[in-house]
Amino acid sequence: MDRRTILQGALAAAALPQAARAQGRDLTVVSWGGAYQDAQREVFFRPFQQQTRTRMLEETWDGGVGVLRSRIASGANTWDVVQVESEELLIGAEEGLFEPLDWSAIGGRDAYIPQAVHDHGVGAILYSFVLAHDRARTPNGPVNWAEFLDTARFPGKRGLRRGPKTTLEIALMADGVPPDQVYAVLGTPAGVDRAFRRLDAVKPDLAWWERGAQPPQWLATGEVAMTSAYNGRIAAANEAEGRDFAIVWTNNLYTLDSWVIMKGSPNRARALEFLAFAGKPEVQAALPPRIPYGVTARSANERLPAALLAQLPTAPQNLAGALHVSDRFWLDNLDRLTQRFNAWVSR
């Protein structure tokens, strides 16, 4: 029995009472908080409300397909539009957690870059997990993931995102696996063991972040000497707080987030109206100046200056040597490797 079949009964039972209870409630959009959501508020949320003269609520979350499963199965979901990671889009679509998109209502598939187009989601941003350190504390810091896990050369705590995704890829690259071979290696039991052995060697020096705001905060306080981080969060801290945090693009982990509409949302029409607004190239072009993430409308980049384009994960020099996070790998392996990771980290 697959995941979709398991949820069918709960979806059917929950849909009618949820819709009945939710009639008339405000559109609720959920994203990742911190500097990123601050930028979204100025670029998307407030302008949309002003243009449509409607009220919109915003919430934050820390990710995890289990959260989405629970909200739908409960019959009490109040989220309408949610920004999800790539494997969450695939898993949620497979399990019936999201509404199919009416592409004609949001500008059409051809209005977006190809990787932003999915039957149940539309790409929101392209971003990278990068290596970051504070030049004020470590002027000559690590330049790759191998040095990142070299605690003899660079003492101190390391921040990694809690969970197997990105952590295991970083461990293998630190152990000498080239980016283009990471998923072939990680797809074998020996490769998974190899990743965990590399992490075992530095486990006492690892600190686990769960929210995107934590890495720049931890660098600022000295709680960690270096960390993986979303590229935009580090750039935002440098710009807004005058920090001198280094962004190391070597073997960055590159991926895309998408907007989805939760199954049974009573605000589906308004959700599509929001997505149509957020997909306009002239609207999207206002995001990278506030936080340097790539955008998904085809002609948005034409509106950006060359100096800014060079700071984005989509810049050719930043894509060179990058690892494209495999949503297909994580669709097939997320639950299994999350169980192993949680057992390992709790020991």
Side-chain angles (χ1 to χ4, degrees):
M1 182 178 293
D2 62 19
R3 290 186 295 257
R4 184 182 179 90
T5 303
I6 293 170
L7 283 174
Q8 288 303 316
L11 289 171
L16 182 59
Q18 177 181 336
R21 283 195 302 272
Q23 288 297 324
R25 69 168 169 79
D26 294 315
L27 178 72
T28 300
V29 179
V30 184
S31 188
W32 302 107
Y36 175 47
Q37 194 153 329
D38 291 343
Q40 289 179 305
R41 188 173 304 114
E42 297 304 316
V43 173
F44 303 125
F45 302 163
R46 284 177 180 161
F48 173 73
Q49 293 176 85
Q50 291 164 357
Q51 178 175 296
T52 60
R53 297 187 178 185
T54 58
R55 201 166 87 114
M56 189 192 85
L57 302 179
E58 55 177 278
E59 294 189 26
T60 65
W61 78 314
D62 297 325
V65 72
V67 175
L68 305 177
R69 290 168 175 155
S70 296
R71 295 189 75 90
I72 293 297
S74 73
N77 173 52
T78 57
W79 291 355
D80 299 305
V81 179
V82 183
Q83 188 168 325
V84 299
E85 295 189 15
S86 56
E87 82 287 349
E88 291 165 346
L89 170 61
L90 296 186
I91 294 170
E94 183 181 87
E95 295 184 2
L97 304 181
F98 309 139
E99 292 285 338
L101 285 188
D102 178 359
W103 279 93
S104 66
I106 61 173
R109 295 171 186 256
D110 290 342
Y112 299 85
I113 60 175
Q115 58 265 49
V117 175
H118 187 279
D119 287 347
H120 291 81
V122 56
I125 55 165
L126 301 123
Y127 63 100
S128 286
F129 294 86
V130 296
L131 192 168
H133 64 88
D134 187 355
R135 291 191 187 95
R137 291 186 169 89
T138 314
N140 299 305
V143 298
N144 54 45
W145 295 117
E147 293 187 359
F148 176 80
L149 292 187
D150 186 345
T151 55
R153 183 174 177 185
F154 299 103
K157 289 282 188 179
R158 276 87 169 124
L160 285 172
R161 192 172 79 155
R162 188 181 185 94
K165 181 183 167 186
T166 72
T167 298
L168 299 183
E169 291 98 324
I170 287 170
L172 287 179
M173 288 190 287
D175 205 42
V177 178
D180 62 357
Q181 297 177 28
V182 162
Y183 289 110
V185 174
L186 198 55
T188 67
V192 174
D193 290 344
R194 179 177 175 181
F196 279 105
R197 278 198 306 272
R198 187 66 190 89
L199 295 171
D200 272 328
V202 294
K203 190 174 183 181
D205 291 307
L206 298 177
W208 302 103
W209 57 269
E210 300 183 57
R211 296 179 297 281
Q214 288 175 305
Q217 291 169 355
W218 289 359
L219 287 175
T221 61
E223 187 168 341
V224 297
M226 58 201 70
T227 185
S228 67
Y230 301 123
N231 70 283
R233 300 298 184 105
I234 300 301
N238 287 342
E239 178 69 22
E241 302 170 20
R243 301 293 179 183
D244 189 20
F245 296 158
I247 296 175
V248 179
W249 289 99
T250 306
N251 298 153
N252 69 86
L253 293 85
Y254 169 84
T255 189
L256 175 142
D257 275 5
S258 296
W259 292 115
V260 299
I261 301 173
M262 295 291 282
K263 188 71 174 180
S265 166
N267 287 319
R268 183 172 180 271
R270 291 188 58 214
L272 289 169
E273 189 178 5
F274 169 74
L275 294 181
F277 176 83
K280 293 178 179 178
E282 65 271 23
V283 173
Q284 287 197 5
L287 183 69
R290 289 173 170 82
I291 192 162
Y293 292 136
V295 289
T296 59
R298 278 190 182 272
S299 58
N301 282 351
E302 298 171 7
R303 294 165 164 81
L304 300 177
L308 178 56
L309 288 171
Q311 300 176 39
L312 303 183
T314 48
Q317 70 273 18
N318 296 334
L319 282 175
L323 171 68
H324 185 192
V325 176
S326 174
D327 48 10
R328 179 57 53 179
F329 175 86
W330 287 111
L331 169 67
D332 295 336
N333 296 283
L334 182 64
D335 289 342
R336 177 178 64 85
L337 290 179
T338 296
Q339 290 176 1
R340 177 158 178 184
F341 175 86
N342 289 339
W344 173 83
V345 82
S346 64
R347 289 202 299 268

